[in-house]
Amino acid sequence: MQQAEVIGVGLAVLDHLMVVSEFPSREGVFPSTQYHVEGGGMVATALVAAQRLGAVTEFWGRLGDDEPGHAVLKELKSFSVNTSQVHIVPEGKTGVCFVMVRADTGERAFVVNTQTDLYVDLKNLHLDRIRKAKAVLIDATWIEAAQQAAHCARSHGVPVVVDVHDGR
Protein backbone atom coordinates (compact mmCIF):
# COMPACT_ATOMS: atom_id res chain seq x y z
CA MET A 1 0.00 0.00 0.00
CA GLN A 2 1.42 3.36 -1.05
CA GLN A 3 1.79 6.24 1.39
CA ALA A 4 -1.10 8.67 0.91
CA GLU A 5 -0.20 12.08 -0.48
CA VAL A 6 -3.59 13.51 0.50
CA ILE A 7 -5.45 12.34 3.61
CA GLY A 8 -9.04 13.47 4.01
CA VAL A 9 -10.92 13.38 7.30
CA GLY A 10 -14.65 13.95 7.15
CA LEU A 11 -17.87 13.28 5.34
CA ALA A 12 -18.93 10.67 2.81
CA VAL A 13 -22.61 10.32 1.92
CA LEU A 14 -24.74 8.73 -0.78
CA ASP A 15 -26.06 11.36 -3.21
CA HIS A 16 -29.19 11.07 -5.34
CA LEU A 17 -28.77 13.68 -8.07
CA MET A 18 -31.58 14.91 -10.28
CA VAL A 19 -31.08 17.45 -13.05
CA VAL A 20 -34.02 19.88 -13.27
CA SER A 21 -34.84 22.90 -15.42
CA GLU A 22 -35.67 25.00 -12.34
CA PHE A 23 -36.00 24.61 -8.58
CA PRO A 24 -39.56 24.11 -7.34
CA SER A 25 -41.10 27.20 -5.79
CA ARG A 26 -44.35 25.51 -4.89
CA GLU A 27 -45.83 22.10 -4.19
CA GLY A 28 -46.17 19.85 -7.22
CA VAL A 29 -44.51 17.32 -9.49
CA PHE A 30 -41.51 18.46 -11.53
CA PRO A 31 -39.68 16.54 -14.27
CA SER A 32 -36.03 15.57 -14.11
CA THR A 33 -33.94 15.03 -17.23
CA GLN A 34 -31.24 12.92 -15.49
CA TYR A 35 -30.91 10.83 -12.36
CA HIS A 36 -27.71 9.43 -10.83
CA VAL A 37 -26.82 7.77 -7.54
CA GLU A 38 -23.21 8.25 -6.48
CA GLY A 39 -21.00 8.91 -3.52
CA GLY A 40 -20.76 12.44 -2.23
CA GLY A 41 -19.64 14.51 0.72
CA MET A 42 -17.09 17.29 0.62
CA VAL A 43 -14.01 15.33 1.66
CA ALA A 44 -14.84 12.09 -0.16
CA THR A 45 -15.61 13.93 -3.40
CA ALA A 46 -12.37 15.93 -3.20
CA LEU A 47 -10.36 12.76 -2.61
CA VAL A 48 -11.90 11.03 -5.63
CA ALA A 49 -11.05 14.09 -7.76
CA ALA A 50 -7.46 14.13 -6.45
CA GLN A 51 -7.13 10.37 -7.05
CA ARG A 52 -8.41 10.75 -10.62
CA LEU A 53 -5.80 13.49 -11.17
CA GLY A 54 -3.03 11.12 -10.08
CA ALA A 55 -2.63 11.70 -6.34
CA VAL A 56 -2.54 8.82 -3.85
CA THR A 57 -5.40 9.45 -1.42
CA GLU A 58 -6.76 8.05 1.83
CA PHE A 59 -10.20 8.65 3.35
CA TRP A 60 -10.72 8.72 7.13
CA GLY A 61 -14.39 8.68 7.96
CA ARG A 62 -17.38 6.92 9.44
CA LEU A 63 -20.11 5.04 7.66
CA GLY A 64 -23.07 3.11 8.92
CA ASP A 65 -23.26 -0.64 8.38
CA ASP A 66 -26.15 -0.03 6.00
CA GLU A 67 -26.88 -0.08 2.28
CA PRO A 68 -25.83 3.56 1.65
CA GLY A 69 -22.62 3.03 3.64
CA HIS A 70 -21.68 -0.07 1.69
CA ALA A 71 -22.41 1.70 -1.62
CA VAL A 72 -20.22 4.67 -0.67
CA LEU A 73 -17.37 2.40 0.45
CA LYS A 74 -17.58 0.35 -2.76
CA GLU A 75 -17.44 3.49 -4.89
CA LEU A 76 -14.45 4.96 -3.02
CA LYS A 77 -12.62 1.67 -3.54
CA SER A 78 -13.56 1.66 -7.25
CA PHE A 79 -11.67 4.97 -7.61
CA SER A 80 -8.67 3.47 -5.72
CA VAL A 81 -9.09 5.74 -2.68
CA ASN A 82 -7.46 3.97 0.28
CA THR A 83 -10.32 3.15 2.67
CA SER A 84 -8.33 1.33 5.35
CA GLN A 85 -9.19 4.10 7.83
CA VAL A 86 -12.94 3.99 7.21
CA HIS A 87 -14.84 2.92 10.30
CA ILE A 88 -18.03 0.94 9.66
CA VAL A 89 -20.31 1.50 12.65
CA PRO A 90 -22.80 -1.37 13.22
CA GLU A 91 -25.74 0.70 14.48
CA GLY A 92 -24.81 3.86 12.57
CA LYS A 93 -26.73 5.50 9.76
CA THR A 94 -24.88 6.78 6.69
CA GLY A 95 -25.94 10.20 5.45
CA VAL A 96 -28.02 10.42 2.29
CA CYS A 97 -28.52 13.54 0.22
CA PHE A 98 -31.02 14.46 -2.47
CA VAL A 99 -29.38 16.98 -4.82
CA MET A 100 -31.30 19.00 -7.38
CA VAL A 101 -29.01 20.42 -10.08
CA ARG A 102 -30.23 23.18 -12.40
CA ALA A 103 -29.49 22.16 -15.97
CA ASP A 104 -28.76 25.69 -17.18
CA THR A 105 -26.56 27.00 -14.34
CA GLY A 106 -25.29 23.95 -12.41
CA GLU A 107 -26.66 25.56 -9.25
CA ARG A 108 -27.47 22.94 -6.62
CA ALA A 109 -30.02 22.57 -3.84
CA PHE A 110 -29.61 19.90 -1.17
CA VAL A 111 -32.03 17.97 1.00
CA VAL A 112 -29.96 16.13 3.60
CA ASN A 113 -30.70 13.16 5.82
CA THR A 114 -27.66 13.42 8.08
CA GLN A 115 -25.53 10.60 9.38
CA THR A 116 -26.32 9.48 12.92
CA ASP A 117 -24.96 7.21 15.65
CA LEU A 118 -21.48 7.03 14.15
CA TYR A 119 -19.34 7.04 17.29
CA VAL A 120 -15.74 5.95 16.74
CA ASP A 121 -13.13 5.97 19.50
CA LEU A 122 -10.46 8.45 18.47
CA LYS A 123 -7.80 6.05 19.75
CA ASN A 124 -8.46 4.15 16.51
CA LEU A 125 -7.05 7.00 14.40
CA HIS A 126 -3.61 6.29 12.97
CA LEU A 127 -2.27 9.83 13.22
CA ASP A 128 1.26 8.64 12.47
CA ARG A 129 0.18 8.24 8.82
CA ILE A 130 -0.20 12.02 8.51
CA ARG A 131 3.51 12.78 8.99
CA LYS A 132 4.39 11.66 5.45
CA ALA A 133 1.36 13.13 3.67
CA LYS A 134 1.66 16.19 1.44
CA ALA A 135 -1.68 17.61 2.57
CA VAL A 136 -4.58 16.92 4.92
CA LEU A 137 -8.15 17.90 4.00
CA ILE A 138 -10.75 18.23 6.74
CA ASP A 139 -14.35 19.33 6.99
CA ALA A 140 -16.56 20.18 9.94
CA THR A 141 -18.54 16.93 10.14
CA TRP A 142 -16.25 14.93 12.43
CA ILE A 143 -14.82 17.76 14.49
CA GLU A 144 -12.90 15.69 17.04
CA ALA A 145 -11.02 13.69 14.41
CA ALA A 146 -10.47 16.75 12.21
CA GLN A 147 -8.94 18.66 15.14
CA GLN A 148 -6.55 15.83 15.94
CA ALA A 149 -5.58 15.37 12.30
CA ALA A 150 -5.03 19.11 11.80
CA HIS A 151 -2.94 19.42 14.96
CA CYS A 152 -0.80 16.44 13.95
CA ALA A 153 -0.39 17.77 10.40
CA ARG A 154 0.62 21.24 11.53
CA SER A 155 3.12 19.85 14.04
CA HIS A 156 4.81 17.98 11.15
CA GLY A 157 4.66 20.84 8.64
CA VAL A 158 1.92 19.24 6.55
CA PRO A 159 -0.52 21.79 5.05
CA VAL A 160 -4.15 21.57 6.19
CA VAL A 161 -7.03 22.49 3.90
CA VAL A 162 -10.45 23.06 5.48
CA ASP A 163 -13.68 22.75 3.48
CA VAL A 164 -16.63 24.10 5.41
CA HIS A 165 -20.00 25.35 4.33
CA ASP A 166 -22.68 27.60 5.68
CA GLY A 167 -25.46 25.23 6.74
CA ARG A 168 -28.19 27.77 5.91
Side-chain angles (χ1 to χ4, degrees):
M1 182 177 343
Q2 286 183 292
Q3 168 63 42
E5 297 171 301
V6 181
I7 294 175
V9 181
L11 182 65
V13 300
L14 188 64
D15 283 346
H16 294 262
L17 296 108
M18 296 189 94
V19 177
V20 297
S21 59
E22 61 183 321
F23 294 149
S25 60
R26 57 181 164 58
E27 183 177 336
V29 176
F30 303 90
S32 169
T33 58
Q34 297 177 47
Y35 172 71
H36 303 279
V37 178
E38 57 190 47
M42 295 179 291
V43 168
T45 300
L47 291 176
V48 167
Q51 187 77 33
R52 292 181 72 179
L53 291 169
V56 178
T57 62
E58 184 172 298
F59 176 64
W60 294 17
R62 308 165 298 172
L63 296 168
D65 189 8
D66 54 13
E67 188 175 328
H70 293 287
V72 169
L73 186 60
K74 180 179 179 182
E75 186 170 338
L76 286 169
K77 288 179 179 181
S78 77
F79 284 106
S80 300
V81 173
N82 179 334
T83 59
S84 64
Q85 301 306 304
V86 172
H87 300 274
I88 302 296
V89 182
E91 300 300 318
K93 185 175 100 178
T94 303
V96 176
C97 187
F98 174 76
V99 185
M100 288 182 289
V101 182
R102 280 190 53 151
D104 58 345
T105 65
E107 184 180 8
R108 301 169 299 162
F110 301 87
V111 179
V112 180
N113 187 315
T114 58
Q115 56 188 16
T116 59
D117 301 320
L118 294 178
Y119 175 77
V120 173
D121 190 333
L122 295 180
K123 293 176 189 166
N124 293 323
L125 296 179
H126 295 275
L127 295 171
D128 57 305
R129 300 167 76 89
I130 290 174
R131 291 184 324 220
K132 295 180 183 174
K134 293 182 180 175
V136 171
L137 171 62
I138 61 174
D139 64 27
T141 61
W142 190 12
I143 296 292
E144 304 84 4
Q147 286 174 329
Q148 285 194 20
H151 178 72
C152 180
R154 297 302 299 150
S155 69
H156 289 95
V158 177
V160 177
V161 178
V162 181
D163 187 350
V164 293
H165 73 284
D166 181 349
R168 291 180 280 163

PDB file of all heavy atoms in Angstrom, residues 64-79:
ATOM      1  N   GLY A  64     -22.228   4.092   8.275  1.00  0.00           N
ATOM      2  CA  GLY A  64     -23.070   3.106   8.918  1.00  0.00           C
ATOM      3  C   GLY A  64     -22.935   1.758   8.224  1.00  0.00           C
ATOM      4  O   GLY A  64     -22.560   1.683   7.052  1.00  0.00           O
ATOM      5  N   ASP A  65     -23.248   0.710   8.956  1.00  0.00           N
ATOM      6  CA  ASP A  65     -23.257  -0.639   8.379  1.00  0.00           C
ATOM      7  C   ASP A  65     -24.621  -0.832   7.728  1.00  0.00           C
ATOM      8  O   ASP A  65     -25.439  -1.635   8.163  1.00  0.00           O
ATOM      9  CB  ASP A  65     -22.999  -1.678   9.483  1.00  0.00           C
ATOM     10  CG  ASP A  65     -22.770  -3.068   8.921  1.00  0.00           C
ATOM     11  OD1 ASP A  65     -22.660  -3.200   7.686  1.00  0.00           O
ATOM     12  OD2 ASP A  65     -22.702  -4.016   9.726  1.00  0.00           O
ATOM     13  N   ASP A  66     -24.859  -0.048   6.681  1.00  0.00           N
ATOM     14  CA  ASP A  66     -26.151  -0.033   6.004  1.00  0.00           C
ATOM     15  C   ASP A  66     -25.927   0.022   4.498  1.00  0.00           C
ATOM     16  O   ASP A  66     -24.788   0.122   4.024  1.00  0.00           O
ATOM     17  CB  ASP A  66     -27.013   1.143   6.494  1.00  0.00           C
ATOM     18  CG  ASP A  66     -26.319   2.505   6.393  1.00  0.00           C
ATOM     19  OD1 ASP A  66     -25.265   2.611   5.717  1.00  0.00           O
ATOM     20  OD2 ASP A  66     -26.818   3.464   6.994  1.00  0.00           O
ATOM     21  N   GLU A  67     -26.995  -0.058   3.742  1.00  0.00           N
ATOM     22  CA  GLU A  67     -26.879  -0.080   2.278  1.00  0.00           C
ATOM     23  C   GLU A  67     -26.176   1.160   1.725  1.00  0.00           C
ATOM     24  O   GLU A  67     -25.259   1.032   0.897  1.00  0.00           O
ATOM     25  CB  GLU A  67     -28.273  -0.254   1.655  1.00  0.00           C
ATOM     26  CG  GLU A  67     -28.227  -0.472   0.165  1.00  0.00           C
ATOM     27  CD  GLU A  67     -29.607  -0.766  -0.408  1.00  0.00           C
ATOM     28  OE1 GLU A  67     -30.450  -1.364   0.273  1.00  0.00           O
ATOM     29  OE2 GLU A  67     -29.811  -0.384  -1.573  1.00  0.00           O
ATOM     30  N   PRO A  68     -26.561   2.384   2.158  1.00  0.00           N
ATOM     31  CA  PRO A  68     -25.830   3.555   1.650  1.00  0.00           C
ATOM     32  C   PRO A  68     -24.345   3.525   2.011  1.00  0.00           C
ATOM     33  O   PRO A  68     -23.494   3.874   1.193  1.00  0.00           O
ATOM     34  CB  PRO A  68     -26.538   4.744   2.315  1.00  0.00           C
ATOM     35  CG  PRO A  68     -27.896   4.233   2.642  1.00  0.00           C
ATOM     36  CD  PRO A  68     -27.711   2.778   2.974  1.00  0.00           C
ATOM     37  N   GLY A  69     -24.017   3.103   3.221  1.00  0.00           N
ATOM     38  CA  GLY A  69     -22.615   3.033   3.638  1.00  0.00           C
ATOM     39  C   GLY A  69     -21.808   2.072   2.799  1.00  0.00           C
ATOM     40  O   GLY A  69     -20.681   2.370   2.378  1.00  0.00           O
ATOM     41  N   HIS A  70     -22.374   0.920   2.516  1.00  0.00           N
ATOM     42  CA  HIS A  70     -21.676  -0.067   1.695  1.00  0.00           C
ATOM     43  C   HIS A  70     -21.510   0.426   0.252  1.00  0.00           C
ATOM     44  O   HIS A  70     -20.476   0.186  -0.373  1.00  0.00           O
ATOM     45  CB  HIS A  70     -22.387  -1.416   1.739  1.00  0.00           C
ATOM     46  CG  HIS A  70     -22.332  -2.048   3.089  1.00  0.00           C
ATOM     47  ND1 HIS A  70     -21.182  -2.603   3.605  1.00  0.00           N
ATOM     48  CD2 HIS A  70     -23.277  -2.182   4.050  1.00  0.00           C
ATOM     49  CE1 HIS A  70     -21.422  -3.062   4.817  1.00  0.00           C
ATOM     50  NE2 HIS A  70     -22.695  -2.813   5.121  1.00  0.00           N
ATOM     51  N   ALA A  71     -22.513   1.152  -0.259  1.00  0.00           N
ATOM     52  CA  ALA A  71     -22.415   1.696  -1.618  1.00  0.00           C
ATOM     53  C   ALA A  71     -21.320   2.760  -1.697  1.00  0.00           C
ATOM     54  O   ALA A  71     -20.538   2.781  -2.660  1.00  0.00           O
ATOM     55  CB  ALA A  71     -23.761   2.291  -2.043  1.00  0.00           C
ATOM     56  N   VAL A  72     -21.247   3.629  -0.698  1.00  0.00           N
ATOM     57  CA  VAL A  72     -20.215   4.670  -0.671  1.00  0.00           C
ATOM     58  C   VAL A  72     -18.829   4.033  -0.593  1.00  0.00           C
ATOM     59  O   VAL A  72     -17.912   4.408  -1.329  1.00  0.00           O
ATOM     60  CB  VAL A  72     -20.442   5.641   0.511  1.00  0.00           C
ATOM     61  CG1 VAL A  72     -19.245   6.557   0.715  1.00  0.00           C
ATOM     62  CG2 VAL A  72     -21.707   6.457   0.295  1.00  0.00           C
ATOM     63  N   LEU A  73     -18.669   3.068   0.287  1.00  0.00           N
ATOM     64  CA  LEU A  73     -17.374   2.397   0.451  1.00  0.00           C
ATOM     65  C   LEU A  73     -16.944   1.715  -0.852  1.00  0.00           C
ATOM     66  O   LEU A  73     -15.793   1.833  -1.283  1.00  0.00           O
ATOM     67  CB  LEU A  73     -17.454   1.384   1.589  1.00  0.00           C
ATOM     68  CG  LEU A  73     -16.142   0.713   1.976  1.00  0.00           C
ATOM     69  CD1 LEU A  73     -15.109   1.730   2.424  1.00  0.00           C
ATOM     70  CD2 LEU A  73     -16.402  -0.308   3.083  1.00  0.00           C
ATOM     71  N   LYS A  74     -17.878   1.040  -1.491  1.00  0.00           N
ATOM     72  CA  LYS A  74     -17.577   0.355  -2.757  1.00  0.00           C
ATOM     73  C   LYS A  74     -17.131   1.356  -3.820  1.00  0.00           C
ATOM     74  O   LYS A  74     -16.181   1.108  -4.557  1.00  0.00           O
ATOM     75  CB  LYS A  74     -18.811  -0.414  -3.227  1.00  0.00           C
ATOM     76  CG  LYS A  74     -18.605  -1.163  -4.521  1.00  0.00           C
ATOM     77  CD  LYS A  74     -19.867  -1.923  -4.912  1.00  0.00           C
ATOM     78  CE  LYS A  74     -19.672  -2.656  -6.231  1.00  0.00           C
ATOM     79  NZ  LYS A  74     -20.882  -3.361  -6.640  1.00  0.00           N
ATOM     80  N   GLU A  75     -17.797   2.495  -3.882  1.00  0.00           N
ATOM     81  CA  GLU A  75     -17.442   3.489  -4.892  1.00  0.00           C
ATOM     82  C   GLU A  75     -16.071   4.105  -4.613  1.00  0.00           C
ATOM     83  O   GLU A  75     -15.264   4.292  -5.527  1.00  0.00           O
ATOM     84  CB  GLU A  75     -18.499   4.583  -4.980  1.00  0.00           C
ATOM     85  CG  GLU A  75     -18.211   5.534  -6.121  1.00  0.00           C
ATOM     86  CD  GLU A  75     -19.348   6.489  -6.419  1.00  0.00           C
ATOM     87  OE1 GLU A  75     -20.500   6.196  -6.069  1.00  0.00           O
ATOM     88  OE2 GLU A  75     -19.058   7.543  -7.004  1.00  0.00           O
ATOM     89  N   LEU A  76     -15.781   4.424  -3.350  1.00  0.00           N
ATOM     90  CA  LEU A  76     -14.452   4.955  -3.020  1.00  0.00           C
ATOM     91  C   LEU A  76     -13.366   3.974  -3.446  1.00  0.00           C
ATOM     92  O   LEU A  76     -12.357   4.363  -4.045  1.00  0.00           O
ATOM     93  CB  LEU A  76     -14.345   5.250  -1.519  1.00  0.00           C
ATOM     94  CG  LEU A  76     -15.093   6.485  -1.020  1.00  0.00           C
ATOM     95  CD1 LEU A  76     -15.126   6.502   0.506  1.00  0.00           C
ATOM     96  CD2 LEU A  76     -14.472   7.757  -1.573  1.00  0.00           C
ATOM     97  N   LYS A  77     -13.586   2.700  -3.149  1.00  0.00           N
ATOM     98  CA  LYS A  77     -12.616   1.670  -3.538  1.00  0.00           C
ATOM     99  C   LYS A  77     -12.494   1.582  -5.054  1.00  0.00           C
ATOM    100  O   LYS A  77     -11.398   1.366  -5.580  1.00  0.00           O
ATOM    101  CB  LYS A  77     -13.016   0.318  -2.959  1.00  0.00           C
ATOM    102  CG  LYS A  77     -12.810   0.219  -1.466  1.00  0.00           C
ATOM    103  CD  LYS A  77     -13.250  -1.140  -0.949  1.00  0.00           C
ATOM    104  CE  LYS A  77     -13.022  -1.254   0.551  1.00  0.00           C
ATOM    105  NZ  LYS A  77     -13.426  -2.578   1.052  1.00  0.00           N
ATOM    106  N   SER A  78     -13.600   1.759  -5.783  1.00  0.00           N
ATOM    107  CA  SER A  78     -13.559   1.662  -7.249  1.00  0.00           C
ATOM    108  C   SER A  78     -12.698   2.758  -7.864  1.00  0.00           C
ATOM    109  O   SER A  78     -12.197   2.607  -8.971  1.00  0.00           O
ATOM    110  CB  SER A  78     -14.969   1.695  -7.838  1.00  0.00           C
ATOM    111  OG  SER A  78     -15.487   3.017  -7.852  1.00  0.00           O
ATOM    112  N   PHE A  79     -12.531   3.874  -7.143  1.00  0.00           N
ATOM    113  CA  PHE A  79     -11.667   4.965  -7.607  1.00  0.00           C
ATOM    114  C   PHE A  79     -10.261   4.861  -7.009  1.00  0.00           C
ATOM    115  O   PHE A  79      -9.464   5.779  -7.125  1.00  0.00           O
ATOM    116  CB  PHE A  79     -12.281   6.324  -7.271  1.00  0.00           C
ATOM    117  CG  PHE A  79     -13.424   6.694  -8.172  1.00  0.00           C
ATOM    118  CD1 PHE A  79     -14.724   6.636  -7.716  1.00  0.00           C
ATOM    119  CD2 PHE A  79     -13.192   7.077  -9.489  1.00  0.00           C
ATOM    120  CE1 PHE A  79     -15.783   6.979  -8.540  1.00  0.00           C
ATOM    121  CE2 PHE A  79     -14.242   7.414 -10.321  1.00  0.00           C
ATOM    122  CZ  PHE A  79     -15.544   7.367  -9.849  1.00  0.00           C
TER     123      PHE A  79
END
